Amino acid sequence: MILTTEPAPTAQWQRDLLARHQLHASYLESAQKWFAPLVGELAALQNSADRPILVALNGCQGSGKTTVSDYLCTALSEEHALHAIALSLDDFYLTHAQRQALAAAVHPLFATRGVPGTHDMTLLRATLQQLLRMHSREPVVIPRFDKSTDDRRPVEKQESILPPVHVVLVEGWCLGATPQPAKILSQPINDLERDEDADGVWRQYSNDCLRVELQPLYALVDQWIMLRAPSFDCVFDWRREQEQKLVASTSAAPGSRLMNDDALRRFIQHYERITRHCLEELPGKVDHLFCLDEQRRVTRYRQLRQNGGTL
């Protein structure tokens, strides 16, 4: 008699996750190997802390942050009965009108979302304070940003979360980034900086916002995770895949601002300086480092710190 081993059946939440992110079933095999152990660690940390915990996830554009965040939060909820919510730094961009005003007052490049200075950090801090409040029972509104219109969704289309929340996971491409010294900042890193920010006003203002607005947030974080790309060269291909998914999931509404390849190449130059800086600086500082290959597959994992905390 020949015995065959059938693959373990997937749970409904896993099938739903695959559908939400348009993923092949093989993603679950990888997630079970690499991310399921982290789910257990985060659950144990929250149980020992006996309070809501904040987890931060860094990864360059297109690295899979949204999918990993969804997997971690859904698994925490389904397998550990913990109310976990994922936030994206992208959802806290200034509105289109606010960025236009910033572009007029400081530098034209701030019309484009992305770098520190284009986020509503006051809104993010207020949202986190509400979610991390231990005994609150007041609904918390979670803003959402619509990249197809390059603007925040109307209030009536935003989500409302009912506490208590046990785990808050916030992901962002520049989370964990630190300011650069003036000598490095003064040297243009690409055509965009050389041609459109020759005097360095845009990158200096963004660098200041990174120090004043983002760094204080880091002290609140209990655990840091990084999805490390092999290089910045992957960003264009990965980000183009994101754009194609966005096109597939968005109705062809008038006024959509989805990008073609030329616009995308220019767009990612806004992110290049800080992304390269994160790839160099963060791997030795985070609690959990997942190294990716060019296809976004995890090839290696390192747990670098046992206790977690501030970078």
Side-chain angles (χ1 to χ4, degrees):
M1 185 191 324
I2 299 176
L3 297 178
T4 59
T5 302
E6 294 292 335
T10 56
Q12 184 61 51
W13 71 265
Q14 294 173 317
R15 294 193 292 273
D16 292 343
L17 180 104
L18 295 177
R20 280 197 299 274
H21 299 281
Q22 305 172 42
L23 297 169
H24 188 270
S26 60
Y27 179 83
L28 293 178
E29 298 176 19
S30 175
Q32 184 67 27
K33 176 180 179 180
W34 298 107
F35 301 125
L38 178 56
V39 172
E41 289 197 30
L42 294 178
L45 176 63
Q46 194 283 324
N47 289 330
S48 63
D50 196 29
R51 60 169 174 81
I53 63 169
L54 179 61
V55 180
L57 187 151
N58 170 281
C60 66
Q61 285 188 298
S63 58
K65 298 184 299 297
T66 301
T67 305
V68 172
S69 298
D70 192 2
Y71 177 88
L72 294 174
C73 287
T74 307
L76 284 165
S77 298
E78 295 290 337
E79 298 182 349
H80 296 273
L82 295 175
H83 188 186
I85 177 174
L87 304 180
S88 173
L89 190 61
D90 287 358
D91 284 322
F92 292 86
Y93 282 128
L94 296 171
T95 66
H96 185 76
Q98 288 171 326
R99 282 181 282 118
Q100 291 296 323
L102 184 64
V106 180
H107 193 284
L109 286 176
F110 282 113
T112 301
R113 67 181 189 265
V115 299
T118 62
H119 301 93
D120 189 338
M121 295 304 296
T122 300
L123 179 60
L124 176 57
R125 285 192 297 270
T127 303
L128 288 175
Q129 285 175 352
Q130 294 177 73
L131 290 171
L132 295 172
R133 196 174 296 146
M134 282 189 63
H135 304 296
S136 174
R137 295 296 183 270
E138 293 295 322
V140 181
V141 176
I142 307 298
R144 296 301 183 194
F145 193 88
D146 188 343
K147 292 180 180 178
S148 70
T149 61
D150 193 30
D151 211 347
R152 195 176 298 164
R153 289 180 184 172
V155 175
E156 62 271 15
K157 293 188 177 181
Q158 295 178 6
E159 298 180 40
S160 183
I161 299 297
L162 187 65
V165 175
H166 302 106
V167 180
V168 179
L169 192 155
V170 57
E171 54 92 349
W173 73 276
C174 61
L175 283 178
T178 54
Q180 293 184 315
K183 184 177 181 180
I184 294 176
L185 202 66
S186 64
Q187 301 300 316
I189 200 171
N190 55 33
D191 292 346
L192 181 83
E193 291 189 358
R194 186 191 65 239
D195 299 338
E196 301 184 49
D197 187 37
D199 55 7
V201 169
W202 172 70
R203 52 190 185 270
Q204 181 62 62
Y205 184 93
S206 181
N207 201 56
D208 291 342
C209 289
L210 184 57
R211 181 182 67 254
V212 174
E213 297 184 345
L214 265 77
Q215 277 202 295
L217 181 69
Y218 301 167
L220 303 176
V221 176
D222 294 286
Q223 290 276 286
W224 284 90
I225 306 167
M226 183 180 191
L227 303 177
R228 189 185 190 280
S231 72
F232 182 77
D233 295 337
C234 298
V235 173
F236 175 77
D237 289 337
W238 290 357
R239 187 58 182 81
R240 181 166 55 179
E241 287 181 29
Q242 280 188 326
E243 202 69 15
Q244 290 169 346
K245 282 189 177 182
L246 191 60
V247 170
S249 63
T250 304
S251 59
S256 294
R257 294 183 173 90
L258 303 175
M259 288 178 282
N260 60 27
D261 284 0
D262 289 340
L264 185 56
R265 287 188 180 92
R266 180 179 179 277
F267 180 65
I268 65 174
Q269 288 190 41
H270 293 77
Y271 294 73
E272 183 171 359
R273 173 178 293 276
I274 296 177
T275 300
R276 290 187 182 276
H277 188 51
C278 286
L279 290 173
E280 293 173 2
E281 296 289 321
L282 276 184
K285 297 179 179 180
V286 297
D287 302 293
H288 306 277
L289 177 67
F290 294 90
C291 297
L292 310 180
D293 64 12
E294 288 79 2
Q295 284 73 48
R296 282 191 300 266
R297 295 174 301 206
V298 180
T299 59
R300 188 160 52 99
Y301 166 73
R302 283 192 293 161
Q303 184 169 3
L304 301 176
R305 302 190 300 171
Q306 294 296 322
N307 298 322
T310 306
L311 289 177

